[in-house]
Amino acid sequence: MSGMSKRLVFSGKPLVVAARPLSCSAISRVWWTPQAITPLTDVPVRMKGKAKKSHVPKVDESILEGHVNVEALKKSMQTAVDALEWQFNRSITVRPTVALLDYVNLVVDGKKKRIKDVAVLTQQKDGFVINCTQQPEMMNSIQEAIESSGLELDAIATGKNTLRVPVPKVTGELRQKLCRMAKEAGHKAKFGIQRVRGNGINDCKRLSGMSFDDIKSFEKQIDLISKLYIERTESLVKTKEKELLG
């Protein structure tokens, strides 16, 4: 070691000290005296290999096998996703169908109902036709509910018991309104998935003969499954917003 210097590490930095034999007191002075320590600032630090990616846990359904009905759990979560997709295709669109009228709040005898519960709806090329023959007394209520719905729809009386609703013009304001509806529908779908998740976890807690660690392991897997369906929901909403905003 004669005539050479030796690298040490102090507080995470490479340092240089004299390599000749030192007494205990000298070593103490070198270790604790800042002036005796020189950082190797000119030595490049190289990182070996590529930066590690954060570990994303994966679902392992085998952990739940025999304890949780995984297929029923996934089917219930998928139902929420399918319902959202149906809404996006049928009602929350710049090319609406009569399903758009499901967003009109109609109150009958103090209870919320949909227009199709009290009238017959028909899709036409340039709009919708509402036939109120079965309950003609509801015609005015339906007309008022449509025009105050915020959907930029007009309900025009074309006969004794008939209303016509022209397809609204696609304006920037309408697009923004539909985007808000899409986000709201997405939140409801996620809430439905989280409710299924909560029910699944509660069922796990009621399992007999399971250790605390077993229950926690089941809960983790159910949580991971729910996150997959929530991600699908968020993806649908994001795609729909792009479509609506053109």
Side-chain angles (χ1 to χ4, degrees), residues 6-220:
K6 184 177 181 181
R7 296 180 186 178
L8 299 178
V9 174
F10 181 71
S11 298
K13 296 181 179 180
L15 312 171
V16 171
V17 299
R20 61 186 175 81
L22 301 174
S23 64
C24 291
S25 60
I27 291 174
S28 177
R29 288 196 301 276
V30 169
W31 187 255
W32 293 109
T33 307
Q35 291 80 2
I37 301 173
T38 306
L40 291 178
T41 56
D42 58 338
V43 179
V45 178
R46 295 183 179 179
M47 300 294 291
K48 293 183 179 180
K50 297 181 179 179
K52 292 184 178 180
K53 296 182 178 179
S54 57
H55 176 65
V56 180
K58 292 184 178 180
V59 177
D60 185 355
E61 294 182 8
S62 63
I63 294 176
L64 301 172
E65 192 173 338
H67 305 289
V68 177
N69 189 335
V70 180
E71 291 306 314
L73 191 74
K74 293 195 296 184
K75 185 177 180 180
S76 295
M77 293 182 181
Q78 184 62 44
T79 297
V81 178
D82 291 342
L84 179 65
E85 197 165 14
W86 185 91
Q87 280 183 281
F88 285 174
N89 291 334
R90 297 274 296 174
S91 56
I92 306 178
T93 172
V94 292
R95 298 176 296 276
T97 66
V98 290
L100 179 62
L101 297 178
D102 287 344
Y103 290 91
V104 176
N105 293 320
L106 187 65
V107 179
V108 181
D109 296 329
K111 297 180 181 179
K112 287 186 178 181
K113 289 193 175 184
R114 292 175 293 183
I115 294 175
K116 65 182 180 182
D117 295 329
V118 297
V120 178
L121 306 181
T122 306
Q123 176 87 41
Q124 292 187 346
K125 185 177 180 180
D126 56 349
F128 321 128
V129 173
I130 304 173
N131 190 322
C132 305
T133 303
Q134 294 179 349
Q135 298 187 49
E137 70 279 5
M138 294 301 304
M139 185 169 168
N140 289 337
S141 298
I142 292 172
Q143 187 173 18
E144 291 174 4
I146 290 173
E147 294 179 348
S148 62
S149 65
L151 295 175
E152 298 187 16
L153 298 175
D154 293 320
I156 304 167
T158 56
K160 185 178 180 180
N161 300 316
T162 306
L163 292 170
R164 180 176 171 275
V165 182
V167 173
K169 293 181 180 180
V170 181
T171 62
E173 187 176 351
L174 177 60
R175 290 181 185 275
Q176 291 294 336
K177 173 69 177 180
L178 292 173
C179 278
R180 289 194 292 272
M181 291 168 61
K183 287 180 180 179
E184 183 180 348
H187 286 314
K188 288 182 179 179
K190 286 195 285 186
F191 178 78
I193 294 168
Q194 290 166 347
R195 184 172 54 192
V196 174
R197 166 190 171 276
N199 291 339
I201 289 176
N202 288 336
D203 289 343
C204 287
K205 292 178 179 178
R206 288 192 285 267
L207 291 173
S208 59
M210 296 289 108
S211 68
F212 177 81
D213 289 341
D214 287 336
I215 299 300
K216 285 298 178 184
S217 180
F218 297 159
E219 290 179 5
K220 180 180 178 180

Side-chain angles (χ1 to χ4, degrees), residues 211-238:
S211 68
F212 177 81
D213 289 341
D214 287 336
I215 299 300
K216 285 298 178 184
S217 180
F218 297 159
E219 290 179 5
K220 180 180 178 180
Q221 293 305 313
I222 292 174
D223 187 57
L224 289 174
I225 291 173
S226 70
K227 285 180 179 178
L228 292 177
Y229 288 91
I230 286 176
E231 286 175 4
R232 294 180 191 177
T233 298
E234 291 174 343
S235 178
L236 283 173
V237 172
K238 188 178 294 186

